[in-house]
Amino acid sequence: NPSNLRETFMHLTNYSLNKYSEDFVANTDLEHADEGNKRTISSVESILIQAGYDVQDLWRKCRDLIRKTLVVLQPYMLVDYMSTFPREKSGAQCFHIFGFDILLDSDVNPHLPEVNHSPSLTCDSPVDEYIKEWVITESLLLTAFDWVKERKIASLATPEEVQALRIEYENNNTSGFVRLFPSVEGDDVMRRIGFFNDERLVHTFVRGCGVRSRGEISQMRFSKLLRSLAPLLM
């Protein structure tokens, strides 16, 4: 309302701003991760469980929200990737860490205010160091798959065999991540994810939608294309 419209610390949840608030409480001890304004997700889970909320259902909703967001982002990311790396190069040449800001309402339903293209990896507290160290470590472990594949198997007969080996490797080498793709929760929208790897869609982006030489596309044209694709996700 007009009386609190300019209350920055109330409406903007960014840590980079709120750490300057007089009411901000910094965490100084990992053994007390349930204290302060920045906490571990496990400590937040404990609070929700004690209040009687279904945390497993909350996580299911969060995963569903993230999957469907990535479905929308994937075509743009694919074009950007293909405009940067030669087609003849096999295997993944890079990776990207996104930061999803999820807001819980009074009924503990998740909402997505924004996705951070480049989330901060700055460490200002013991909680920061603990969480971000594991994010970076396990992300790098995931990127080692192609190296493991070359050492273990000289040649794989089919893409399905490569995919099976990748899933096995990821399952055995990550404890902090949760698999979103392929979905094991029966999310119907994921049955159509293969559409976004279609060569025709890529050429539509590159030749017909104003993709620039750096893999960029104007916001207006990108929005128009997504509206035309929306029925396929319903």
Side-chain angles (χ1 to χ4, degrees):
N1 60 59
S3 65
N4 61 35
L5 189 61
R6 296 186 180 278
E7 293 291 336
T8 303
F9 298 131
M10 175 185 291
H11 300 296
L12 298 177
T13 58
N14 306 60
Y15 163 72
S16 59
L17 294 174
N18 276 273
K19 65 181 179 180
Y20 297 111
S21 170
E22 294 179 357
D23 298 321
F24 182 80
V25 179
N27 176 275
T28 58
D29 186 356
L30 187 59
E31 295 297 323
H32 299 282
D34 58 344
E35 298 177 358
N37 289 91
K38 181 181 284 192
R39 307 181 181 187
T40 60
I41 192 66
S42 58
S43 68
V44 176
E45 281 184 348
S46 298
I47 295 173
L48 294 175
I49 291 172
Q50 291 174 12
Y53 292 105
D54 187 342
V55 172
Q56 294 304 316
D57 184 59
L58 170 61
W59 276 116
R60 181 190 62 78
K61 292 177 180 177
C62 289
R63 291 193 294 269
D64 182 66
L65 181 152
I66 294 171
R67 284 193 196 100
K68 290 176 180 176
T69 303
L70 291 175
V71 165
V72 176
L73 289 175
Q74 200 263 358
Y76 183 87
M77 295 167 61
L78 181 60
V79 170
D80 199 24
Y81 180 88
M82 294 181 65
S83 68
T84 304
F85 298 100
R87 292 286 300 275
E88 60 270 14
K89 276 188 171 290
S90 62
Q93 305 300 312
C94 66
F95 68 95
H96 197 129
I97 296 175
F98 286 100
F100 283 75
D101 287 357
I102 294 180
L103 183 69
L104 303 182
D105 62 23
S106 57
D107 295 319
V108 194
N109 290 312
H111 302 273
L112 183 67
E114 67 173 347
V115 179
N116 291 307
H117 181 267
S118 181
S120 173
L121 296 177
T122 302
C123 296
D124 293 333
S125 71
V127 169
D128 265 335
E129 293 178 3
Y130 175 76
I131 294 174
K132 295 175 182 180
E133 178 181 320
W134 276 108
V135 168
I136 295 171
T137 299
E138 294 207 339
S139 296
L140 292 175
L141 277 174
L142 289 177
T143 66
F145 169 73
D146 286 323
W147 178 80
V148 172
K149 180 183 68 174
E150 292 175 1
R151 288 179 61 88
K152 284 190 173 182
I153 301 177
S155 62
L156 296 170
T158 65
E160 289 75 17
E161 290 180 349
V162 176
Q163 176 73 348
L165 180 64
R166 179 185 294 278
I167 291 176
E168 178 185 0
Y169 171 81
E170 291 174 351
N171 288 341
N172 292 335
N173 289 277
T174 56
S175 59
F177 286 152
V178 175
R179 178 178 302 283
L180 297 180
F181 298 97
S183 171
V184 296
E185 296 177 315
D187 186 349
D188 184 67
V189 73
M190 300 317 302
R191 298 177 186 176
R192 293 186 285 276
I193 186 62
F195 173 82
F196 292 102
N197 290 311
D198 194 310
E199 286 289 321
R200 291 171 296 178
L201 180 64
V202 175
H203 288 300
T204 299
F205 267 77
V206 174
R207 297 178 181 178
C209 297
V211 177
R212 307 184 185 107
S213 60
R214 292 179 296 169
E216 297 177 349
I217 184 173
S218 69
Q219 182 178 357
M220 182 173 65
R221 291 189 177 184
F222 186 57
S223 298
K224 182 178 180 180
L225 179 61
L226 288 181
R227 286 195 297 272
S228 69
L229 295 177
L232 296 168
L233 296 176
M234 301 300 292

